[in-house]
Amino acid sequence: MKRATWSLVLLSAISLCLPGYATEDDRPKIGLVLSGGGAKGAAHIGVLKVLEAYHIPVDYVAGTSIGAFVGGMYALGYSSTEIETIMMGTDWAKGYSDTIPRQDLSYRDKQFRDQYNIPINVGYSDDEVKVPSGLLQGQTMSMLLRNATNLVPEYTNFNDMAIPYRAVATDLVTSKAFVLSKGSVVVAMQASATVPGALQPAEVDGTLLVDGGIANNMPVDVVKAMGADIVIAVDIGSALVGKDQLNSTVAVLNQLSTMLTNASTERQVALLSDRDILIRPDVGEMSTTDFAIMPKVLPLGITAALEFHHQLETLTVSDEAYQAYENHKSRLRAQWQSELKLPLARVVLENHSKVSDTLILDTLGLKQGLVVNRADLDAAIERVYALNQFERVNAEFRDTPTGRELLMITRAKSWGPDYFQLGLNWEDDFTLDSTITLDMAYTLTDVTENGGEWHNELRLGSEKLVSSQFYQPLDSDQLFYVQGTGKYEINDWDIYDGNNRVAELDKSSFQLFAGIGYNYTNAGRVELGLIGEWGEISNKSLLTDDFSYESWGGYFKLGYDTLDSISFPTSGNRLNLNLYWRNDDYPPFIDQDSGEGSLQIEADWKGAVSVGSHGLVGKAAFATVNKDGLFSVHLSELGGFLNLSGFHRNALVGSHKLFGAIMYQYDLGRDALGMTEFPLYLGASLEAGNIWELSDQIAVNDLIYASSLYLGTDTDLGPAALGIGLTDTGDKAFYLFLGKNF
């Protein structure tokens, strides 16, 4: 039988056999101190199980970092078994990413996310470049803590909890310990566990707070000040590593951090008396960040606590006294839990941004009279955070004489309101061709009252572009908008015969767009506008003179996008329909129609479904123009990875396009290799399509069939893939991508 099972059996026997050694009136007051230690905090639960088995009432709780979380849960009235279930069932790794899921972003922000695939948080204001004060802002972590604790209201004093409670953080300005004794339990827990540099400092009452382990990792002094006669302290700190392991910058920094933490712990150990109990589970060399170790750590807490069974027995109370203690905790817990069923009396917004209150409250969607549960609040906060305008969105319930109040706090990005964006795209098909582009953008936000934006872009590399766009919402809810765009671009316009390039042309153009649009849903928009284009095509070996043209007309665009990933989706759909009416003016030697212009239609769709580690992705594309046999610079292209694999990118060009594909994706990384940070997809595709110059040439028996096999993943730098494609015409190609959307 495993050690953990023996430990639980022993605890059950203890709870049945122990006599009562003290009454409630004359017993000493017990203070529990839980230290920081990250994932090793599961050992605290093991200690709690022993205390419960010995019928030892806890009168005061103080904790640091993970100890503040476990201690706070116990102080709210949760049992050790309930805390174990919650803690083991929480995906703590999610707390170390504040990235908004793609499917939650607005349609416009999705396009920016796809193009600027390198995630940087860099801004400019007040004549200086700004970055966040932490790699993460703590948004997701606060939601994990809120889910764990349930919708606990703010306390005017943590003494009013089922067990009086304190959390300890470090004042970033003074380096002194800061004791949190009131307000939001979630804020207190998170402030105590805010790792400097990794997480943005928490601000409480104007004080910047970081992880309490720096100043006081095991707050014995705090629980003594609360009134404890006897202290039970649990130390799960890390051990110093040997010289042979100090072989990197990270290792040295971790060693220094451990030194500081252990030094603060030893200062607290010196405060313990002979009556106090210091429990040190054998977890010193275990990881603080690998939460997969928690099931192994919990029994170590039980084992360490049982080593003090003689001292613990002296703290046992009678069954009647312990039951009275449990009943007291249950009443206080039931009091705040009963308030969860109260309807919402009002929403109070504390908005520290230029985003309109109307937009925030309408996006929140929580109305007076609604009984708000955790799922409702989570979804509401996620909607507001997905506006992509804030570094933090918090919510706290306050019970007032006039009813339950929800306080919403939104904070603008501290590195804004003007931002830099960066995108990288590398594409190689193992020939002499290699395409690398770098997109750099500078966006000014909050230019106008309704959230106007001025977006400026520079693209370098195989394609060159300079672009500027002004985007102006017309209402406070940002449903209607107008936009104007001007851009100048230079790129290659290659002509292929099959997979063989027969001509290389240079195309440069200046384009103007002006449109009015409607965001009919967060995932979709419709836009109507005018376009103008002035271009030039040149090739000194083929054309004696540069080929100049002009084009003007109008457009209609309809878009809808709920994909969770642009390149390797597992759910959602993406649909685009573009209509262009143009009147083109070409040189006299080009045969032109004397009609009133041409109508071009472009439509494409991509959708995905998945079950477990298996997924299916579908793609379809259609394009046509209403005039055949006439020259045009506005053509459709086909060819490349998953766009008729086996051909070079855009090898097929013409007026009429038809394409369809289905891809099977297996998440090899998570299912077979145990990878958790990024998926690793093993995929295969079946594709069919072609491009025709004349509409009467379109025929099913003229379709080209293709297939591919690939490995791909979504990384912090965007999608990456390695694949091979084959066609039934005998063409084949190898592909390597980084940052390329397909």
Side-chain angles (χ1 to χ4, degrees), residues 326-361:
E326 286 289 315
N327 291 341
H328 172 72
K329 286 202 310 178
S330 296
R331 283 195 300 271
L332 291 177
R333 174 181 173 179
Q335 181 176 333
W336 69 260
Q337 287 189 328
S338 66
E339 294 166 351
L340 300 180
K341 301 178 182 179
L342 295 176
L344 192 61
R346 71 192 61 83
V347 176
V348 177
L349 178 60
E350 190 176 305
N351 182 16
H352 301 279
S353 75
K354 292 185 178 180
V355 180
S356 75
D357 292 358
T358 301
L359 176 60
I360 295 173
L361 293 174

Side-chain angles (χ1 to χ4, degrees), residues 539-553:
N539 183 302
K540 301 306 180 184
S541 61
L542 293 179
L543 302 174
T544 57
D545 296 315
D546 291 342
F547 179 106
S548 299
Y549 67 91
E550 295 181 7
S551 176
W552 57 270

Side-chain angles (χ1 to χ4, degrees), residues 14 18-22 54-56 277 308-317:
I14 290 171
L18 282 174
Y21 290 94
Y54 273 87
H55 285 186
I56 298 175
I277 300 172
F308 296 87
H309 62 94
H310 291 303
Q311 289 172 269
L312 294 175
E313 286 175 355
T314 65
L315 304 178
T316 298
V317 300

Side-chain angles (χ1 to χ4, degrees), residues 30-221:
I30 308 301
L32 178 64
V33 179
L34 303 179
S35 79
K40 297 181 292 183
H44 291 323
I45 303 174
V47 174
L48 292 177
K49 287 183 178 293
V50 174
L51 299 184
E52 290 175 348
Y54 273 87
H55 285 186
I56 298 175
V58 174
D59 301 287
Y60 309 102
V61 177
T64 297
S65 196
I66 191 66
F69 169 74
V70 177
M73 294 290 287
Y74 204 58
L76 284 169
Y78 289 99
S79 69
S80 63
T81 300
E82 289 174 313
I83 298 173
E84 177 185 3
T85 300
I86 293 169
M87 196 166 176
M88 300 298 178
T90 299
D91 186 356
W92 295 103
K94 287 185 176 179
Y96 294 93
S97 173
D98 285 329
T99 301
I100 301 171
R102 184 184 186 277
Q103 62 270 24
D104 293 342
L105 292 168
S106 69
Y107 184 90
R108 176 177 167 83
D109 283 340
K110 286 185 178 79
Q111 317 314 308
F112 283 149
R113 168 80 64 85
D114 297 340
Q115 181 176 359
Y116 305 108
N117 51 286
I118 299 178
I120 60 170
N121 290 325
V122 180
Y124 182 84
S125 62
D126 302 325
D127 299 323
E128 64 177 319
V129 175
K130 295 183 177 181
V131 295
S133 52
L135 295 176
L136 300 172
Q137 312 314 308
Q139 178 68 25
T140 306
M141 183 60 75
S142 69
M143 296 193 71
L144 289 179
L145 294 174
R146 187 180 298 107
N147 272 322
T149 58
N150 210 335
L151 305 183
V152 184
E154 289 190 337
Y155 284 89
T156 55
N157 194 311
F158 287 163
N159 287 342
D160 298 332
M161 296 170 66
I163 303 174
Y165 165 72
R166 299 291 186 270
V168 177
T170 300
D171 186 329
L172 187 58
V173 175
T174 67
S175 79
K176 295 181 179 179
F178 186 96
V179 180
L180 296 120
S181 60
K182 62 180 180 179
S184 165
V185 177
V186 169
V187 170
M189 290 176 174
Q190 187 166 7
S192 182
T194 298
V195 180
L199 291 167
Q200 184 185 39
E203 186 173 348
V204 177
D205 297 332
T207 304
L208 293 179
L209 302 177
V210 294
D211 195 297
I214 299 171
N216 191 347
N217 195 49
M218 194 175 69
V220 172
D221 58 342

Side-chain angles (χ1 to χ4, degrees), residues 456-477:
N456 303 278
E457 179 187 356
L458 174 65
R459 180 180 301 162
L460 301 174
S462 306
E463 300 174 357
K464 297 173 177 59
L465 176 142
V466 178
S467 174
S468 184
Q469 180 191 73
F470 191 80
Y471 179 87
Q472 175 59 56
L474 298 177
D475 59 308
S476 58
D477 281 338

Side-chain angles (χ1 to χ4, degrees), residues 472-492:
Q472 175 59 56
L474 298 177
D475 59 308
S476 58
D477 281 338
Q478 299 187 0
L479 296 178
F480 294 92
Y481 66 88
V482 293
Q483 67 89 9
T485 304
K487 63 181 180 179
Y488 176 74
E489 60 181 326
I490 303 173
N491 52 44
D492 296 332

Side-chain angles (χ1 to χ4, degrees), residues 609-620:
V609 294
S610 62
V611 177
S613 299
H614 306 273
L616 288 177
V617 180
K619 291 180 66 176

